[in-house]
Every structure is written in structure tokens, then in C-alpha cells.
Amino acid sequence: METLAGFSLCLALVLTAYAFAASVGGILKKRDRLIYSSYRAVVAVWICVSLATGVLLYSLLTDDFRLIAVAGHSNRALPWFYKLTALWSGQEGSLLFWSFILSTYAAVAVWTNREKHRSMMPWVVASLAVVQAFFLVLNVFVANPFRVFAMEQAGQMVVRGPLDGNGLNPILQYPAMAIHPPMLYLGYIGFTVPFAFAIATLITRQAGERWIETTRRWTMAAWLFLSIGIMLGGRWAYAVLGWGGYWGWDPVENASLIPWFTGTAFLHSVMMQEKRGMMKVWNMVLVFATFFLCIFGTFMTRSGVVSSVHAFAQSSIGPYFVGFLGAGILLSGWLLIERLDYLKSGQQLDSLVSRESSFLFNNLLLLAACFSVLWGSLFPVITEAVRGVKITVGAPFFNKVNVPIGLLLLFLTGVGPLLAWRKTSLVSLRKNFLGPGALSLGVGAMLYALGVRSLYPLVSLILCVFVAVTVVLEFYRGARVIAQKAGSSLVSSAVTLTMRNTRRYGGYIVHFGIVLIFVGITGSAFNTEREQPMLVGDRMELGPYQFRLADLRETDNPNYIAEHAVVEVYRGDELLDVMHPEKRFYKASRQPTTEAAIRPRMNEDLYVVYAGISENQQHAVIHVRRNPLVNWIWLGGLVMALGTLIALVPSRPGFGSRRLRDEMTAADRKTASGNGEPSQGRETPQQDEVRA
Amino acid sequence: MKYAPETRRLAATFLLLTTVCAGLLAAQAPPAEPSPAIPTRTIDANDPALRRISSRLQCQCGGCTASVQTCPHQMDCGLRMYILNTIKTGLAAGKTEDQIVAAIAAEYGPKILLEPPREGFALLGWVMPFLALLAGAAAVGLVLWRWKASGQQEPAASAEPAAPLQPPAQAVLVDKYREQIDRELES
């Protein structure tokens, strides 16, 4: 079966080459049949790669340890669910998974757009085919997942695998980790589609913003997947690694964050092009940067370059990635420079206090954050290459550099959406910012009085209140107008408002989610912890809580041996909970893990770790932490995902009751007849209401 | 030399941004003076000085990028326990935090420090993100200035009396403006 799968991958590579040649040949020779055959080739590639992926999954499920990729990342005792997730835990499987997702995206993108953009689609196919071919070359020649164990027996080569596999890395045996990599991959690879459309637009000099309109949802969906992937990664680190945090600024974590910054910048600045026809070149640069940073992220995590330059030199795939990235960046850059004339746009600004300038600053800060994370992740490698000395760039560096940038971004999240396009009047500024500004400063003063004296947490919480109030006010103002006209409740009016302009109000919900995440991150400034060697029956205190080690137990199952502590949590005399932190020893991989016990609440988590037996072999070392507000991060992630999903739904301008529709139509008519002169986008309070 | 109000406003925005950044950074800079010596005493795992020092050092137990303080391998990491004991001994002997960190860095090399040193080539690591931010801010300033300048030229050019538009051309313009208004109201 592995022969069939290997052949299927080879066929996929040939078909990809055909798709490229047929699409380019078809457009140059003006042969529609050739172009259509390239579309079919894209679908055929998907079938071939799916078949290969299916075979690898089947081999994992049936413990076919003749395959090196299966024996290296699975074992018999592994639950079936984690056997499936072993697909992306190794180099070969994860690169095959890349190819599979890309081929699926390509098939959907090509099939849904084949009749829409006739002149552009062949170049979209060609661009997608180049990326697909790169990954298939890796799958076939460099990291083939269907390599088998072969040994010589009686003068003949026979295929024979070990009796059991090495097992899946135990820290990956966690539900969030099972869906974290696919989400990240769906995000990373999703940006290939807008990239391909951007390239095709440049080559064919498409008029207008068609590539942006076509790929808007692709970009948002990719961004959503990437965001969910990052959040799940944080959640996994928090629950599994046992150090009480969720983000360690590890280079592999950073690899997912870097393209997220440019992707977010692109989602914002693209509005400048849609609304004002500005920043056409910049948007191309951003979509190229996001795509190449996604490839770079895969390279960072897969080549080992982040651990050392020497690891890169030994890595089999590193040079391929560098070659692909180098050639891709040069070609895209050349194409962009070649087409600068076509991208020329009449850029003009009426006022510095406008949405346009806020978008520029938003892009500046997002890119500064992107650069600092990228720079920090690569600086050890640069130092090693230049000076021959190994240094470390860890969490303290990233926190110091990125926290100020993050706070400025949070500030812009509140200010930007309330500024009007072109020019914001003083009246509008006062109306929009006076209330939220005063309220947030009031809350700040209250927090200061309550003892919050550190600068960053205080500024962060003030800004969180400011942004949250501006978002709520935006909903309230719009919903109030609808409620007055339709006689409906504020809540149902807010729903109507959102459905009428999903992108705008979905965006506000995303911003609200960001606020919740910032609140959660700020909470970490108030973490407290305590560690104590304990005998059964001992107690330790942390804040108002008492922790009593009630028992130490041991369990055994085919996958791992676990020692777990039974820790009772008291507040005064009241028993609040019984927690079970564990230490596991996985048999197949012979690795220990720490399973923290978490008591999650919105105000604070209690986080208990059984660190192990003390040096004198008598005491159990128990580590307890109070992590305030950490659940706001996960809640914020959910709200962010909800907002993005809403923004993905097409707006329905006629949404709402019949009475409301009649009222609004009459109001529109009245506005049109009463005010003949267009206001050129300058915002007035009245217009604000009409806009809603 | 007099500058236009827009140019002044632009410069003020730019200055404000950089000052806020610099201010926020300065607030995070570590104190310049070395921490005072701690008198000889018994150090337990919850000692704040022990926590602070171990947060500045990277754990060295194979592939682990966390600090000695937060090393997820806890009691299994022999090196973590050894470094913690070294710190405890140093603190008990009355050494300052910086002295202890310097001694451990001398033993393990600069890679054990979670923050790159602020000297020599490593200083570049600290400086570059802010240089990039400042360069970006300058670029944004320049772009805004150029857009503003072309925004002001537009009305001046159209101030000249233009020939009356023919009805079809007028209709096209009206449609264009209608579309633009619709787009902007929708935003």
C-alpha cells in the first residue's frame, strides 16, 4: 500500500507540473481547453495527495511499523485519536499534511472561481502549482513519509519494522494539541490563496480591486485559523507544560505570531484600498510578506535553524526552504517593481486626524511588533554566525520590546474605528472620546487607589476600559436608532445592526475580544506562587487559600505510569475543591510529563503542580499558583473567533422587521431629498446615525 | 523659518509617538545600581531574590527554552536543581544578585542569560527593533506629509473656472459620487 501512496505522490508532482504548464501554455496560446485541463489537474492533484494522506493515516491506525514515519511517532498503546494526530507530529507527516491542505485549498479556490475571473485564473493556478510543486518535491525526494525499514536477510532485502513504535511525544497527547497544528496549518496555508490571486493580478494588470474582493473571505478565514491555532497553542502550553504560563516566546511559538502580525496589518490596510483606492502597492507587499513569513515559519519550526546555525546546516530540508524563499521573494519583488505604474493610485489626505492616518499607524505598530519578534527569534543565530558566540534571546527581551508596542496598538484599537474617513471634526472627536476617555481615567484612578501601582498593568487596564466603552457605545448608538425606528428592544436592534453590516460590527466584536485578551494578559502581572516540600497531611498557604496534601497515589495503564497527588483546597474551614496534579512517565517514549491540576474561575485560576519527590526522597514538592484573570484570554479568543465568523457572513442590508425596512427606506428617501449635496465623507453626528 | 500648521502637527504626532515609546521603555529598564547585599540567611524555594535571579537564567536541560525558575521539567531537571542550589549558596553568602548571575554566566557562557547583554554586538539586538520602529514612524510621517500635500493641491487646481460639464459627463460624475457615498456610509 505504501508503494501505491508513494506512486500517488509522484503522480501528484507530475500533475502539478502539468497544471503549471497547461495554465501558462493555455493563456499564452489562447487555448481554453488547455486552461480547463489545468483546472482538472488541480483537482486530480488533490485526489492523489488525499490518497497518500489517507494511506499514512491508515498505516498509523493499524500500527504499520514497517513505515519509519509510523514507528517514529506512534506506538500500539497510544489511543486511536492520538494515532491520527501523529500524522503531523513528525517532519515527513507534517510536510505531507501541508501538501494535503494546500491541494484542498487550491482545488476549492480554482473550482469556485473558474468561471468568474477568466483572464486571472490561469495565473492563479500557475502560482498555486509552484507552491504545491515545492512541497511535493519535499514529500517525494527529501522527507518521504513512505520510507520503510529494510534489512538484509539471507542475502535478500526484506521489509520488516520493529514490534512497537517509539510513541508520540507525550506532551503532544493533549486534546488542544491535537487540533492546534491543523489550525495553524490551515492559517499558514490559507494565505497562499490571496498570494496567488495577488500575483495573478499583477501579471494580468487586473483593473479594480477584484483580487481583494475575491480573496477577502479567504484571508479572513486564514487569519481566523491562525488566531485559533495560536490561542490553542497558548492553552496547551498553560495546561501541559506546568510552568503556569501560556506564552514563553519560544521561537516555535513566535513563528506562528510573526505572519499573524502582517496578516492583521493586511486585513486593516486592505480597507484603505477598498474605500479610498489607496495603498495598492503596500497591500501587495503585505500579502507577499504574510505568505513568505508563513513559509518562513514552517522553515523555522522544521529546519531547526532557531536552535543553532549548525542544526540548519545538518537539516535536510533547510536549504530547500531557503532556495524557495529566496527565489520567491526575488520574483515577487521583481514583479511588483515591474508593475509599479499599474498600481499607481491617487493618494491624498484631507486631514491628519482621519481613519487613513490611524490605519497607517496601525500598520506601523503591527509591523514593528512583527519585526521585533522576528529579529529576536533570529538574533541568536545571527550572533552565532557573525561572532561565533551563542547567546539567548528569551521572554524578558520580548516582553520589554513588545509590551509598549502592544499598548500603543490597544490604544489605536479604541481610537481608529471612531475616526471618520477623510476628516474627523472636533465635534465628532469630543462626542466619541470624551465619555470613554473620562470613564477609563476614572477607572484608572480607582485602580491606583486600590493599589495597582505598576505602570504597564495600570495603563493596560485603563486602555482596556477605554476600548471596551468605545465598542459598546458604537453598538449602543446604532442599536438605539434602530430601536427607535422599529420599536424593538436594544438587544434585537443590536443583532439587526450587526447583520446589516457584518464586517464592521464583526470587526468591533473582534476588537472586544482583543480587549478581553489584554485584560487576561495584564492579570499575569499579579500572579503569586509558592513551592513547598510536603508530607501527607502537611498544609501550605497562598493568599486566602490553604492547600493540604491529602494523599499520594500511583496508577498504571499501557500508555503511562502516573503518580498523582491529592491536594485539598480550603478557604478558611470550607473545603473548596480536591485537585489531582500528576506526574506521568510514558512507557514507549520513556519521557516524564507534568500534568497540572487547574481550578479555573473568571477571577483567578488555582494552578497546582506536583513537581516530584524532593532531593531527600521524603517529601512531595508541590507548587501552587494563583493566576488572576487568565480565563479572560480564552474567552477573548472565543469572542475574537465569533467576531471573525460574523464578519465572514455576507451583510444583509434588508435585515430586520418589515416596519423597520419601511421606516429606513422612508428615512433614506427623506435624507436624499433634503440633502442634495454629498458631504464627501466628512462625518457629522447626524450622518453617524444614518450610517448606522 | 516658518512651517505650515500640518507639518507642525505631523512633527508633533511623530514626536509624541516616539516619546511615548521611549517613555514606556525607560519605565521597564532595570535599575542601574546593583542590588544591595543580602545578609547571610537560609534561603528557601520561595525567596523573592531566588525567584528573580532564576528568572534571568535559561534552563539548560536539553531543548528547554524556559527560565530556570519556570523550567517545566521541575524536579526531573538536575541542572535546574544544581543552579538553584548555586543561587541559594550565593545568596546565603551575601552576594548580590548581579554577582551571582555574573558568576553563573562565567561558568555556563552568555547563552544562559535570558536577555542578551547590553554591550558589544548583542546591543544591536536591543537597538534594532526601536530603530526599525523609528524608521517606520519616519516613513509613515513622510507618507502622510506627501498625501496631505497632494490633498491640498487638488482644491487649488480645481479652483480655476472649469468648462461646464456636458450632461452625460455630469451623470457619470454623479453616479461616481453616489457610489462613493454608499461605500463610505457602509464602512
Side-chain angles (χ1 to χ4, degrees), chain A residues 241 243 250 275 347 349-350 364 375 390 392 394 400 421-422 456 501 504 530-531 583 611 678 681 691, chain B residues 24 28 46 58 65 70 72 75-76 111 113-115 125 136 147-148 150 180-181 184-187:
Chain A
L241 296 185
W243 60 277
D250 183 276
K275 301 284 189 297
Q347 326 230 23
L349 191 71
D350 294 345
L364 166 68
W375 176 253
K390 279 192 115 179
T392 303
K400 279 177 187 159
W421 291 100
R422 289 171 181 265
Y456 281 164
N501 193 343
R504 179 177 170 182
R530 192 171 171 78
E531 182 184 316
K583 267 193 83 66
R691 183 179 63 177
Chain B
L24 290 173
Q28 271 294 293
N46 301 301
Q58 189 183 46
T65 55
T70 57
M75 308 297 291
D76 303 314
K111 70 175 191 297
L113 301 172
L114 268 175
E115 270 186 16
W147 286 359
K148 191 80 175 72
S150 60
Q180 190 177 342
I181 292 165
E184 286 174 8
L185 287 179
E186 202 191 66
S187 70

Side-chain angles (χ1 to χ4, degrees), chain B:
Chain B
M1 191 175 163
K2 277 196 165 183
Y3 292 97
E6 281 72 26
T7 317
R8 282 207 300 266
R9 233 175 290 158
L10 185 68
T13 317
F14 174 69
L15 271 176
L16 182 73
L17 187 84
T18 46
T19 317
V20 170
C21 270
L24 290 173
L25 271 168
Q28 271 294 293
E33 297 152 24
S35 7
I38 298 162
T40 308
R41 61 197 165 93
T42 314
I43 309 296
D44 81 346
N46 301 301
D47 188 281
L50 176 73
R51 289 247 164 87
R52 277 197 301 274
I53 298 172
S54 55
S55 308
R56 289 167 65 182
L57 305 169
Q58 189 183 46
C59 199
Q60 303 292 308
C61 50
C64 173
T65 55
S67 70
V68 170
Q69 214 262 313
T70 57
C71 174
H73 304 107
Q74 310 273 339
M75 308 297 291
D76 303 314
C77 174
L79 210 56
R80 173 181 186 258
M81 303 311 293
Y82 176 73
I83 294 174
L84 284 178
N85 280 332
T86 311
I87 301 171
K88 279 183 193 175
T89 315
L91 285 173
K95 288 186 183 167
T96 66
E97 292 184 20
D98 289 341
Q99 282 170 340
I100 296 170
V101 170
I104 294 174
E107 189 179 341
Y108 290 91
K111 70 175 191 297
I112 201 165
L113 301 172
L114 268 175
E115 270 186 16
R118 294 179 193 195
E119 56 188 25
F121 185 76
L123 188 64
L124 193 67
W126 286 100
V127 172
M128 274 301 278
F130 300 108
L131 280 183
L133 180 65
L134 287 180
V140 166
L142 189 71
V143 165
L144 283 175
W145 178 73
R146 282 177 59 181
W147 286 359
K148 191 80 175 72
S150 60
Q152 278 169 340
Q153 275 166 9
E154 195 85 345
S158 61
E160 289 173 23
L165 289 172
Q166 294 304 308
Q170 229 168 2
V172 169
L173 262 187
V174 168
D175 281 351
K176 195 182 138 201
Y177 280 134
R178 271 210 182 114
E179 275 174 26
Q180 190 177 342
I181 292 165
D182 286 345
R183 267 203 316 272
E184 286 174 8
L185 287 179
E186 202 191 66
S187 70

Side-chain angles (χ1 to χ4, degrees), chain A residues 137-200:
Chain A
V137 164
L138 294 181
N139 296 147
V140 174
F141 299 110
V142 190
N144 194 318
F146 299 104
R147 283 183 306 139
V148 289
F149 285 104
M151 61 172 81
E152 201 176 320
Q153 207 170 44
Q156 277 192 325
M157 292 299 283
V158 289
V159 174
R160 182 172 297 165
L163 291 174
D164 203 354
N166 291 341
L168 182 66
N169 188 341
I171 57 172
L172 303 183
Q173 298 183 34
Y174 180 78
M177 198 56 185
I179 41 174
H180 156 74
M183 286 293 154
L184 276 189
Y185 275 32
L186 283 168
Y188 271 174
I189 305 161
F191 283 110
T192 313
V193 177
F195 168 76
F197 272 88
I199 291 277

